[in-house]
Amino acid sequence: MSQARPPATKRKAPKKRRFSNPGTSYAKRLERYRPGIVSFVLDGLAGLYGRETWQRRLDPTSELILTILTQNSADTNAEVAFEALRRAYPSNLPPETHNPGSGWGGFGLSAAPPPDWAAVEFAPIAELTNVIRPGGLANQKAPRLQATLRRIREERGDYSLEFLADMQPLEARAWLTSINGIGNKTASIVLLFCFGLPLFPIDRHVERVARRVGLLPPKATIDQAHDLFLGLLRPDQMYEAHVNMIQHGRKVCHAQRPEHERCPLIDRCRFVDPKAP
């Protein structure tokens, strides 16, 4: 006679693993080991440079193209190349005013209509390369400009990027970075300066200040740093922090021979003292 089988026990479903936000987790850890360091940096820089408030710089397509022109080039050279685009491919659109703010390293663009983006996209590549040659790296940037404009037109039916204002910040950043040649820095610049979206662009000046003071882990990559800063800063702090850190990197925290005597962050700077609190 066979024995009755014991009733099957219901197996518990495994608990779902909860993934933490890396920026939030890092911010808590930094605050635990270096209390108040973020406020110390922001307040110290604001005491030197003021608290600049956000204003729109350009329309987002112009901002994107201008930012591509600045890649590995001085802002002044990018201005020359953008002005050349305006002259070579004029549009009938209303003039736009460039409000560069303190974070910009050039003189500012003249008030003029943006280029005719269709004319730029479909221009003979040799011609376009010649137009933007004064901006530097024209052989690489001319095809990049055309590929970028082509992608926007094919996805959206025109060249406007105003739709990005209605997206969540990280969603908008992901849309822009899906375009070949556009990284987190370029995308964050467009979204912060055109729409005030809470993203934090990191250029070489911002990176230098952040690493020297010790706001970033020594081994963090630039892409990781873009996400870590989203946890370190409140949305209303990102614009001010960005422009002031750029200014500080240009004017005081130089790559060579930084002017420590002028720096309000010296007491907590790990570049000056590796054990600074």
Side-chain angles (χ1 to χ4, degrees):
M1 183 175 178
S2 61
Q3 293 181 343
R5 292 182 180 178
T9 56
K10 189 175 182 181
R11 184 176 294 178
K12 292 182 179 179
K15 290 184 178 179
K16 289 184 178 180
R17 186 178 175 186
R18 297 179 66 182
F19 293 93
S20 60
N21 181 300
T24 302
S25 299
Y26 174 67
K28 290 178 180 177
R29 189 164 70 252
L30 184 66
E31 180 62 23
R32 188 161 61 247
Y33 291 109
R34 302 190 73 193
I37 185 64
V38 174
S39 297
F40 172 81
V41 170
L42 298 186
D43 292 343
L45 295 180
L48 199 57
Y49 305 112
R51 297 191 182 276
E52 187 169 328
T53 55
W54 177 85
Q55 61 175 333
R56 186 165 177 157
R57 286 207 303 205
L58 285 169
D59 84 84
T61 306
S62 292
E63 186 73 55
L64 176 60
I65 298 303
L66 179 62
T67 305
I68 292 173
L69 291 171
T70 67
Q71 293 173 349
N72 298 307
S73 296
D75 290 352
T76 49
N77 292 339
E79 288 176 342
V80 172
F82 194 86
E83 297 278 18
L85 284 176
R86 285 172 162 177
R87 292 191 299 272
Y89 309 106
S91 73
N92 295 320
L93 296 172
E96 58 181 350
T97 301
H98 186 212
N99 299 306
S102 302
W104 182 248
F107 301 107
L109 298 169
S110 63
D116 181 332
W117 298 122
V120 175
E121 181 192 349
F122 293 103
I125 191 64
E127 176 187 286
L128 179 60
T129 301
N130 220 31
V131 168
I132 66 170
R133 192 172 301 283
L137 300 175
N139 291 335
Q140 292 95 337
K141 291 180 181 178
R144 185 174 300 171
L145 294 186
Q146 290 190 326
T148 297
L149 292 169
R150 184 175 307 113
R151 171 71 184 278
I152 297 170
R153 176 181 55 79
E154 289 175 350
E155 290 267 342
R156 301 293 305 174
D158 57 28
Y159 298 99
S160 174
L161 292 174
E162 297 290 351
F163 72 95
L164 293 171
D166 299 323
M167 299 172 73
Q168 292 298 311
L170 292 181
E171 182 187 9
R173 191 182 74 177
W175 193 94
L176 282 173
T177 56
S178 69
I179 301 174
N180 190 37
I182 297 178
N184 282 336
K185 183 187 82 170
T186 296
S188 297
I189 286 172
V190 172
L191 297 169
L192 176 66
F193 282 91
C194 291
F195 306 115
L197 293 184
L199 294 166
F200 191 78
I202 301 178
D203 75 343
R204 67 185 187 279
H205 301 295
V206 173
E207 181 187 10
R208 185 188 317 123
V209 173
R211 290 197 190 278
R212 285 178 172 177
V213 174
L215 289 180
L216 291 173
K219 295 183 179 180
T221 67
I222 288 296
D223 279 339
Q224 289 170 340
H226 276 90
D227 290 333
L228 293 180
F229 262 105
L230 301 187
L232 290 177
L233 300 172
R234 299 193 312 265
D236 63 325
Q237 294 175 321
M238 293 192 187
Y239 179 80
E240 176 195 312
H242 174 75
V243 297
N244 282 353
M245 289 176 77
I246 280 186
Q247 291 192 86
H248 199 58
R250 287 188 178 127
K251 298 176 181 178
V252 174
C253 192
H254 313 295
Q256 303 293 328
R257 296 184 294 278
E259 300 178 54
H260 298 305
E261 69 281 359
R262 294 181 54 209
C263 181
L265 311 181
I266 188 170
D267 290 342
R268 301 192 70 179
C269 179
R270 293 250 167 122
F271 184 71
V272 175
D273 177 7
K275 296 183 179 179

